Amino acid sequence: MSSLTTISSTSKESLEAEELVDTRLSLVIGAGSQPPPAPVAAGHVTRQHAKRARAVHGGSDVDDGDDGGDAAGRARKKLRLTAEQAALLEKSFRSHNVLSHGEKQDLAGQLGLKPRQVEVWFQNRRARTKLKQTELDCELLRRWCERLSDDNARLRRELAETHAVLLVGGAQGSRLTRCPSCNRLAGGRRAA
DNA sequence: GTTGTCAAGAGGACCG
DNA sequence: CGGTCCTCTTGACAAC
């Protein structure tokens, strides 16, 4: 599908400094089946107990450590990452978009966040990247479709012309000639 | 009041 | 079976 890639220079809205769109995620239109996780270094991260949160449900979900200033059980407060935190996370994401356990811990330590928060940020970031890629893919397909439609219309016109020439030639009793270079038929005064 | 963004919750899928 | 991922949803907050 080189034609797809050739028209790919759509500069959508300058995705924050051009968004690392991962082509591996592209064209996963079915959605039904999940695309294989990005083959990242460290592949599948070591396991750990990190998410008892889920198992506990409701209780002290995300973490006991507050830090986000989250009141336990109350309306959750919206955490807003600082510019520095976001920048460091972004930088880390660009080097590889999946974290190993150690990297998560390190990042969390550096940022003063909980590992779970770092994990969530990466999850959301991957989702955003994928969404952007899907939008780009849609745009590419739309253009490709347009081009195919144009080609189709042009070919139909040529076919109709050829038929017309054949008809005219037959009616006039004249002989059709075939252009030696393009091999197209021409008759009467419609010289090739 | 509406809308967009984003952190976080929830649940299912996958893997070792 | 536990840990991690993906996906969808929810809720807080900002901008209009």
Side-chain angles (χ1 to χ4, degrees):
Chain A
M1 262 198 213
S2 59
S3 51
L4 266 183
T5 51
T6 52
I7 33 179
S8 69
S9 50
T10 329
S11 63
K12 265 288 185 189
E13 58 239 0
S14 44
L15 318 169
E16 45 185 12
E18 93 333 304
E19 210 45 59
L20 283 179
V21 216
D22 184 347
T23 48
R24 283 166 308 191
L25 299 174
S26 69
L27 297 177
V28 183
I29 296 177
S33 54
Q34 298 189 354
V40 179
H44 248 127
V45 191
T46 61
R47 296 182 166 171
Q48 205 230 177
H49 67 296
K51 94 167 189 197
R52 87 251 183 16
R54 223 91 53 55
V56 179
H57 261 346
S60 52
D61 55 307
V62 172
D63 188 84
D64 20 324
D66 78 271
D67 140 80
D70 239 88
R74 260 306 160 89
R76 70 190 198 219
K77 263 290 188 181
K78 169 87 174 175
L79 166 71
R80 219 62 210 194
L81 297 175
T82 66
E84 293 77 33
Q85 289 173 320
L88 188 52
L89 285 165
E90 193 65 37
K91 182 181 172 189
S92 177
F93 183 84
R94 282 167 191 279
S95 64
H96 41 274
N97 64 1
V98 177
L99 288 173
S100 68
H101 174 60
E103 291 166 336
K104 190 199 298 179
Q105 297 293 333
D106 288 348
L107 257 182
Q110 289 179 52
L111 296 166
L113 295 174
K114 287 169 275 184
R116 167 68 182 159
Q117 289 177 301
V118 173
E119 179 184 319
V120 166
W121 186 89
F122 267 72
Q123 275 178 14
N124 286 321
R125 185 65 178 75
R126 283 191 292 271
R128 269 176 256 141
T129 298
K130 188 171 185 179
L131 180 63
K132 290 265 167 53
Q133 182 61 56
T134 300
E135 288 172 358
L136 283 177
D137 287 342
C138 283
E139 177 62 15
L140 289 180
L141 286 174
R142 192 187 62 73
R143 290 189 187 189
W144 200 29
C145 184
E146 264 179 18
R147 208 153 87 176
L148 287 175
S149 293
D150 289 347
D151 284 350
N152 184 272
R154 179 179 53 76
L155 290 171
R156 284 176 183 279
R157 275 198 305 275
E158 289 181 8
L159 183 62
E161 268 177 35
T162 302
H163 281 153
V165 167
L166 284 173
L167 285 176
V168 169
Q172 294 178 342
S174 66
R175 276 217 273 301
L176 294 172
T177 56
R178 185 178 291 279
C179 171
S181 60
C182 68
N183 205 34
R184 291 177 67 179
L185 292 172
R189 11 199 129 78
R190 298 202 66 213

